[in-house]
Amino acid sequence: MKKKLKYITLLFSLLAVIACNDDYLNEEPRSFLSPEVTYATDGGLASGAVGLYDEIGYLFYGGTNWEDIWAITNGATDFNQMGLQKTVIPINSLNTEYGPATSESSLIKLWAHYYRLANNATTIIEFSANHDWQDDDLRKQTEGEAYYFRGHAHFFLTMLWGDVPVVREITSGVKLDFANSPKAQNLAYVIEDFQKAAELLPSVASQAGRLSKATGYHMLAYAYLSAKDYANAETAALAAINDPNHSLVTQRFGSKSNIPEGNVFWDLFQLDNHNNNAEGLWVFQNGNAELFRQYLPASGGDHFRGPRMLIPRYESANGLVASTQYGGRGFGRNSPTMGWYGLFESGDLRGEYPCMQTFWVANENRGNISIGDTLYVFGHPEKSIYPQDDIRLRPFPTKWNKEYDTSDPTKATPHPEEEAYTGSTIRDHYLIRLAETYLILAEAQHMQSRNDEAAESINVVRRRSNAREISEDEVSVDFILDEKARELWGEGFSRKVELFRTGKYVERVKQYNPEAGPNVTEKHTLIPIPQSEINLNSEAELVQNPGWN
């Protein structure tokens, strides 16, 4: 296993643990983990870049991290509501308990994560600039990764929080005078970092889960789109789409391609397939401890908790017990809103089984229900014992299902590496797919009044799923938002960023979300800065976002 470096200088909420001692801060560091020592070699700097990937793993592993972070980035949106077992209720419902102080324990997780990432990446950039590299290819990859992660951190900070401080030089020791930086300036910095990343990163990722040029161009296109520079967004998106190492998957492939009920969209998400296709631009490695923590399928410990969050608590309904037949044990923390299901027209593979679990057949004798009884069929209330909007049986994408033993046709036997009754999965997870790049391209074309080209970009994605092709008259920002929801629900993107940047948040939450809709106001179009960060910043004013004082 490659040794990972985690040099984390302390920032914002972490400042309180450092004593303010000038003599101490001026001493020459001797610790192995100090950057002056570790970043003095090619290998040390390259290991520092590997450590940046592990910081991304913080979002997915450990306790309730993903529950809190999912609530901040995707909760209280048009197509996401709480499930039966509700969690992070103030943020998910936008109730009166949601605020910069009352929700601080959740907010600080994501805020501190992005600033750790930005500061660690900046440290690598600065030390690399003063280092006499022996391996220029390794330099380019290391610097490319550092620029990418610094851009990534500032992009999401800016899109979620607005006018936030930026980290453009190493921050160590105690700093209490951070100031808000305008959103437009921040996006300019982000674009600059992604430009450098796309220039420096290798054409082919050096190993599964690492970044390539196409990943950099995708995020550069997204940043240009957010800055309303549509011509450059189009150029960057095309650079990723036309990359010879990447393409949309249109034929069946991989570990379960011999299963007749499957299809090409379903294949994308099966075990061992995430890195075995040309569409994935960045894949979270759930089982690769060189980049991220190793998954632990046994109960307890770290593991990616996709089922826990996004599979309903179906076992609470009579006639059902948790089984890999239905994706494993779901805790039902979150659920699509009913409006999301209305996005899928007949024939769209993404809205049908096996890409979506749309029916439930009893797998337990209980009361007057016997094994084999049909309990629920989505879209067919006449065939269902339970109502169509029962939160316990809400249909869900099967992207994160637990793995079953393919030698058991009933799917009741877990994969040998799975433990059936935990809320985790051994599958990898897409952070960026090329399908999203096509939809970024479509929006850039639409905003330049070229709806014929935008319709074709959208149809490239829709054809793969057997969805009806649309005409140029149907193209709109709302349609593109809907298409992203059809294609990407539950993957590694933020729905809240999509709605914030398009100015559609309040409108669409009111329209589709029965929990957050009655509470949403304009102040919710930016997330509150954690109050402790404002309090600690005693030597300058860190201005809270409008409406959150």
Side-chain angles (χ1 to χ4, degrees):
M1 182 186 303
K2 187 181 293 181
K3 189 163 189 175
K4 288 181 294 203
L5 176 69
K6 289 187 184 178
Y7 172 70
I8 299 176
T9 52
L10 302 181
L11 183 68
F12 287 101
S13 62
L14 307 179
L15 294 175
V17 301
I18 301 180
C20 186
N21 183 313
D22 290 340
D23 291 336
Y24 170 78
L25 294 174
N26 289 330
E27 288 178 358
E28 182 179 351
R30 298 295 182 186
S31 166
F32 169 77
L33 289 181
S34 69
E36 288 83 358
V37 175
T38 305
Y39 290 168
T41 66
D42 287 15
L45 281 160
S47 294
V50 172
L52 299 175
Y53 290 90
D54 192 65
E55 177 60 36
I56 297 295
Y58 170 84
L59 305 181
F60 296 93
Y61 285 119
T64 61
N65 283 3
W66 205 39
E67 292 181 19
D68 288 294
I69 288 162
W70 177 270
I72 295 168
T73 57
N74 287 282
T77 53
D78 48 358
F79 298 136
N80 188 88
Q81 67 174 88
M82 289 180 285
L84 177 68
Q85 195 158 323
K86 301 181 189 305
T87 187
V88 201
I89 294 173
I91 297 175
N92 274 310
S93 67
L94 307 181
N95 70 20
T96 55
E97 296 178 18
Y98 177 30
T102 53
S103 298
E104 187 172 82
S105 62
S106 296
L107 294 167
I108 201 68
K109 289 181 180 179
L110 193 59
W111 175 272
H113 157 73
Y114 285 136
Y115 277 112
R116 285 195 303 268
L117 190 62
N119 198 44
N120 293 348
T122 298
T123 302
I124 293 168
I125 290 167
E126 291 197 13
F127 274 84
S128 178
N130 295 311
H131 175 63
D132 183 15
W133 282 86
Q134 303 303 302
D135 185 334
D136 195 53
D137 287 337
L138 190 60
R139 175 192 68 81
K140 289 178 180 178
Q141 175 166 313
T142 298
E143 291 183 356
E145 289 172 325
Y147 278 116
Y148 177 91
F149 281 113
R150 188 169 72 175
H152 175 98
H154 285 122
F155 175 77
F156 286 101
L157 279 165
T158 300
M159 299 312 297
L160 290 168
W161 274 279
D163 297 347
V164 296
V166 293
V167 176
R168 303 293 291 178
E169 57 186 28
I170 297 173
T171 302
S172 59
V174 177
K175 179 176 172 63
L176 304 174
D177 60 350
F178 289 96
N180 303 77
S181 177
K183 179 179 177 180
Q185 179 175 297
N186 293 355
L187 282 175
Y189 287 143
V190 166
I191 288 168
E192 180 182 319
D193 281 349
F194 284 143
Q195 285 173 331
K196 290 178 180 176
E199 174 190 342
L200 291 165
L201 286 167
S203 297
V204 178
S206 60
Q207 67 184 122
R210 296 187 81 165
L211 304 168
S212 69
K213 284 188 181 296
T215 326
Y217 278 120
H218 171 98
M219 286 305 297
L220 178 59
Y222 201 18
Y224 274 129
L225 193 67
S226 301
K228 303 186 187 308
D229 185 344
Y230 303 118
N232 277 320
E234 178 181 8
T235 299
L238 285 170
I241 289 167
N242 294 329
D243 187 303
N245 301 294
H246 292 281
S247 60
L248 209 67
V249 174
T250 57
Q251 301 292 325
R252 296 208 62 188
F253 74 100
S255 61
K256 296 178 186 173
S257 58
N258 63 330
I259 295 179
E261 68 182 8
N263 57 62
V264 61
F265 188 78
W266 182 78
D267 283 341
L268 281 168
F269 303 93
Q270 303 312 303
L271 185 65
D272 299 327
N273 284 4
H274 295 70
N275 305 300
N276 187 29
N277 69 80
E279 184 168 336
L281 298 184
W282 191 19
V283 179
F284 175 75
Q285 303 293 294
N286 196 18
N288 181 353
E290 290 189 350
L291 294 182
F292 307 103
R293 282 177 265 183
Q294 189 81 16
Y295 65 69
L296 297 176
S299 57
D302 287 337
H303 40 265
F304 173 46
R305 298 169 181 260
R308 178 187 183 96
M309 288 290 292
L310 302 173
I311 292 179
R313 195 70 183 264
Y314 61 88
E315 65 182 282
S316 61
N318 285 344
L320 292 170
V321 293
S323 168
T324 50
Q325 175 188 8
Y326 292 130
R329 184 190 185 194
F331 279 70
R333 303 294 199 194
N334 289 270
S335 170
T337 60
M338 288 301 294
W340 181 69
Y341 303 109
L343 300 179
F344 298 95
E345 297 175 349
S346 177
D348 189 334
L349 297 175
R350 298 168 297 186
E352 298 178 351
Y353 184 81
C355 297
M356 191 185 298
Q357 186 65 49
T358 57
F359 65 88
W360 307 91
V361 176
N363 60 3
E364 179 189 47
N365 295 319
R366 190 184 300 180
N368 62 350
I369 293 176
S370 302
I371 293 175
D373 287 350
T374 299
L375 304 178
Y376 178 99
V377 181
F378 187 68
H380 293 278
E382 75 282 0
K383 299 180 181 179
S384 306
I385 294 174
Y386 293 100
Q388 292 287 289
D389 61 351
D390 193 317
I391 199 71
R392 299 171 298 177
L393 303 178
R394 198 66 66 86
F396 66 93
T398 58
K399 297 174 180 180
W400 336 269
N401 279 15
K402 277 191 169 296
E403 290 294 334
Y404 57 87
D405 189 330
T406 53
S407 66
D408 179 0
T410 70
K411 304 180 186 177
T413 306
H415 184 282
E417 293 182 24
E418 288 277 26
E419 183 166 313
Y421 205 66
T422 62
S424 62
T425 179
I426 64 174
R427 295 187 187 187
D428 292 333
H429 188 72
Y430 291 107
L431 299 176
I432 301 175
R433 281 196 291 121
L434 195 66
E436 183 182 1
T437 320
Y438 275 98
L439 299 177
I440 289 172
L441 173 62
E443 187 175 341
Q445 292 165 332
H446 166 64
M447 298 306 289
Q448 296 176 83
S449 301
R450 303 206 318 270
N451 279 2
D452 54 339
E453 296 174 47
E456 175 55 24
S457 298
I458 294 167
N459 285 331
V460 169
V461 176
R462 289 174 64 81
R463 283 189 204 108
R464 190 255 301 277
S465 293
N466 197 40
R468 173 186 63 84
E469 293 192 18
I470 67 165
S471 69
E472 61 182 279
D473 295 336
E474 296 175 86
V475 177
S476 67
V477 170
D478 282 302
F479 189 94
I480 294 168
L481 288 172
D482 289 348
E483 191 64 26
K484 284 191 173 182
R486 281 183 282 263
E487 181 74 19
L488 301 167
W489 197 96
E491 297 182 44
F493 88 124
S494 169
R495 186 64 176 179
K496 204 165 277 183
V497 166
E498 287 292 280
L499 299 179
F500 283 7
R501 69 171 185 82
T502 56
K504 293 285 186 176
Y505 182 71
V506 174
E507 171 193 336
R508 291 180 68 105
V509 171
K510 283 182 178 292
Q511 181 178 357
Y512 291 111
N513 192 314
E515 293 171 340
N519 302 324
V520 68
T521 66
E522 283 299 320
K523 80 173 184 178
H524 295 114
T525 57
L526 288 175
I527 292 169
I529 296 173
Q531 190 60 43
S532 62
E533 304 306 310
I534 293 173
N535 295 343
L536 282 169
N537 202 63
S538 58
E539 296 178 8
E541 183 182 13
L542 185 58
V543 180
Q544 181 59 271
N545 283 326
W548 290 109
N549 290 314

